[in-house]
Amino acid sequence: MPLGPEDDEHIGSWVRGLGLDGLVDLHLHFLPERMLSKVWAYFDRIQERTGYEWPVRYRRPESERLSLLESFGVRHFAPLVYPHKPGMAEWLNGWVLEFAERVPAAVPTATFYPEPSAVSYVDKSIRAGVRCFKAHVQVGAYDPGDALLDEVWGSIADAGVPVVVHAGHGPERGPFTGLDVFAAVLRRHPRLVAVLAHSGMPEYAKAVELVERFPRVYLDTTMVGVPFAEKITPLPPDWTDRLGAIADRVVLGTDFPNIPYSYATQLRAIAGWATDDRLGDEFLRAVLHDTPAKLLNL
Ligand SMILES: [Zn+2]
């Protein structure tokens, strides 16, 4: 039974043991250095508001973070960026496009914010060949159903480019968090290839319902099932039963480097689900490689 890698040093051999030539991580983060240090400062202070500590595990220079991913066998990844205010997304998109040009394992990604220029810079990103979008409803504190985004969702749906949507209430509630709010966007754009970040944490059951209802909706594994998250927002007891029916709609995501535990810890959580006979190694190969590779068009 696949129990997962003991620690980061054992990830490579574990992955090879599954018959994979590497991992595809659809949800991790690279940002301009100054912004990243602000994100880390946010996690340093999170205890004041949430009551739990969040010691960022991989607080290292960019070059070291890239070497670590390589050592884990991450062959391809989507470096996700996101704005918290207007006037920022287009600049981030320029930064991440340049990042993807200099880092072979990174696919080009883009983001957006409800603002009048969004339609044009999102179209420009699609023409530039981005392979994944990120929408952060919690950090951006915007309504994903905002009229300024209607055409944006439409363009992304038409292009068939996946969009990772952090619409859930974790780690803190926002004015427009909650899967019901995002479900309205899906009803209006049912062809959208949407990846529900963190499997909708804490609304896991509702996230599975959306996957069952919309054929192009997926879940990412980011922070899901790790001991840190289980203490705060435990998975429903029938989680692996639910996964059985949607096993080809789950993709690896990790939130590297901003996690308070090791990369191997996330892989162990996923491997733990696969001990359910109905899932097994086939499920692991789909989640860790095949399904995210398909979505990123690799
Ligand atoms: Zn994230």
Side-chain angles (χ1 to χ4, degrees):
M1 280 293 134
L3 293 171
E6 200 178 308
D7 52 35
D8 285 356
E9 284 71 45
H10 291 86
I11 295 174
S13 54
W14 179 70
V15 169
R16 281 190 299 278
L18 291 169
L20 294 174
D21 66 352
L23 301 168
V24 179
D25 190 333
L26 196 116
H27 180 161
L28 54 71
H29 299 286
F30 279 84
L31 285 168
E33 288 297 311
R34 279 187 54 199
M35 237 186 112
L36 190 59
S37 46
K38 283 184 188 160
V39 169
W40 288 344
Y42 162 82
F43 287 116
D44 289 344
R45 290 188 315 262
I46 202 169
Q47 191 177 17
E48 295 160 22
R49 292 188 303 280
T50 60
Y52 48 83
E53 283 186 7
W54 192 304
V56 171
R57 174 83 169 215
Y58 299 102
R59 195 186 299 241
R60 310 270 202 95
E62 186 186 276
S63 59
E64 288 181 29
R65 279 179 270 125
L66 287 169
S67 307
L68 279 168
L69 288 174
E70 203 182 329
S71 75
F72 303 159
V74 177
R75 295 287 292 266
H76 301 278
F77 64 85
L80 303 179
V81 297
Y82 48 90
H84 60 276
K85 59 182 183 194
M88 200 177 164
E90 197 171 8
W91 169 74
L92 280 169
N93 291 348
W95 181 86
V96 74
L97 208 55
E98 183 271 1
F99 175 84
E101 270 165 24
R102 68 184 158 87
V103 176
V107 302
T109 73
T111 189
F112 51 85
Y113 191 87
E115 53 195 340
S117 54
V119 174
S120 97
Y121 66 69
V122 163
D123 281 340
K124 193 172 129 194
S125 295
I126 292 169
R127 285 197 307 275
V130 301
R131 291 170 186 242
C132 190
F133 281 92
K134 170 71 184 262
H136 209 315
V137 171
Q138 188 239 338
V139 165
Y142 58 77
D143 182 352
D146 191 305
L148 284 164
L149 291 179
D150 194 43
E151 218 179 307
V152 167
W153 296 121
S155 300
I156 295 174
D158 289 347
V161 175
V163 53
V164 178
V165 183
H166 184 131
H169 296 303
E172 292 185 83
R173 278 173 184 263
F176 300 103
T177 56
L179 291 187
D180 284 341
V181 182
F182 185 66
V185 173
L186 287 172
R187 282 195 296 274
R188 201 164 152 71
H189 301 280
R191 295 180 60 249
L192 193 66
V193 183
V195 180
L196 302 175
H198 311 284
S199 296
M201 184 185 290
E203 299 175 287
Y204 303 112
K206 212 174 266 182
V208 170
E209 279 166 33
L210 290 178
V211 172
E212 288 166 345
R213 180 156 164 217
F214 296 96
R216 301 177 93 181
V217 171
Y218 293 75
L219 303 178
D220 85 28
T221 65
T222 310
M223 301 195 78
V224 181
V226 298
F228 178 85
E230 285 297 278
K231 267 190 263 166
I232 305 160
T233 49
L235 285 166
D238 64 346
W239 178 242
T240 52
D241 296 338
R242 306 292 299 265
L243 287 183
I246 57 161
D248 58 346
R249 308 266 291 285
V250 183
V251 298
L252 173 66
T254 60
D255 254 350
F256 175 91
N258 305 330
I259 35 178
Y261 48 78
S262 71
Y263 199 94
T265 303
Q266 180 70 70
L267 297 176
R268 281 200 303 277
I270 300 166
W273 309 334
T275 57
D276 185 311
D277 288 339
R278 291 161 295 183
L279 298 172
D281 285 0
E282 199 184 329
F283 170 78
L284 289 176
R285 285 189 284 271
V287 173
L288 303 176
H289 183 276
D290 298 353
T291 309
K294 182 188 81 174
L295 287 189
L296 296 176
N297 204 12
L298 297 170

